[in-house]
Amino acid sequence: RLANILREADAGNPIRQLELAETVEERDPHILGILGTRKRSVSQLELTVEDGSEEETHKQQAEVVRDWLKRDELQGELFDMLDAIHKGYSFTEIIWDTSEGQWRPLRLDGRDPRWFDFERHNLTNPQLIDEDGQRVPLPAGKFIYCPMAAKSGIPLRAGLSRVLSWV
């Protein structure tokens, strides 16, 4: 059964591999603990922003970003992004605040990786699966695609879940 799941993922259908990764994380407290420790360690790092230059505009822009990074929600949002450690990639939707005529990220919502797929010709360019089940390009400025490789290769094979499935 495992070999079939991995072959499906290799052919560009990662759904069962993603579901297996979730199941392993839910059923193995040691793996859950190790992944949680890694994700918390990174998501709690202090983030810094440097001014682009000495120009006043650049200083103001950097200050806006610094203020945004001070939000309490950011740590949890980063924790969700780091699901890529286990699965090889993650997707986060940017929810924009467009009030007052400005575009600012209001929050970052982690999205189920089963909503996404990869172009069949290279299995590396991410695509969104729309309501009709069709693959469409990711809308500009809407999602953060976070690939994170535990080993070299295409994202479908790069996460720890692939290696852990043989343990």
Side-chain angles (χ1 to χ4, degrees):
R1 214 167 99 200
L2 175 60
N4 286 335
I5 290 170
L6 298 179
R7 272 195 289 275
E8 284 177 20
D10 289 347
N13 183 6
I15 300 298
R16 291 196 330 147
Q17 179 177 296
L18 293 167
E19 290 170 346
L20 176 62
E22 286 292 324
T23 300
V24 167
E25 195 170 349
E26 290 168 356
R27 293 186 181 176
D28 189 319
H30 180 69
I31 290 173
L32 177 65
I34 296 295
L35 289 171
T37 299
R38 286 181 180 204
K39 291 162 74 170
R40 278 186 299 280
S41 295
V42 174
S43 64
Q44 293 174 6
L45 290 174
E46 183 179 343
L47 302 175
T48 59
V49 176
E50 295 181 15
D51 301 345
S53 74
E54 293 299 317
E55 290 182 33
E56 191 58 34
T57 303
H58 289 167
K59 290 180 179 187
Q60 291 171 355
Q61 291 168 341
E63 191 57 36
V64 167
V65 173
R66 281 191 281 273
D67 287 343
W68 189 82
L69 290 174
K70 292 176 185 171
R71 298 172 313 113
D72 291 335
E73 301 84 5
L74 184 63
Q75 191 173 15
E77 294 164 348
L78 291 173
F79 186 90
D80 289 343
M81 284 179 171
L82 291 167
D83 196 39
I85 295 169
H86 193 208
K87 296 183 179 91
Y89 57 93
S90 69
F91 290 91
T92 303
E93 184 174 0
I94 304 169
I95 308 301
W96 292 97
D97 174 6
T98 58
S99 63
E100 301 176 23
Q102 296 182 24
W103 284 69
R104 291 185 186 207
L106 182 62
R107 68 180 187 277
L108 306 174
D109 288 347
R111 294 298 180 219
D112 189 322
R114 294 176 293 183
W115 293 12
F116 304 88
D117 208 340
F118 294 89
E119 288 182 358
R120 293 290 184 214
H121 72 279
N122 64 13
L123 296 177
T124 58
N125 297 333
Q127 296 181 307
L128 178 65
I129 299 173
D130 69 12
E131 293 174 6
D132 298 322
Q134 302 298 311
R135 289 173 191 83
V136 296
L138 294 178
K142 186 68 175 161
F143 293 99
I144 299 169
Y145 165 55
C146 181
M148 195 166 306
K151 64 177 206 60
S152 297
I154 61 173
L156 296 172
R157 298 185 68 149
L160 286 176
S161 66
R162 185 85 176 195
V163 175
L164 292 172
S165 65
W166 292 104
V167 176

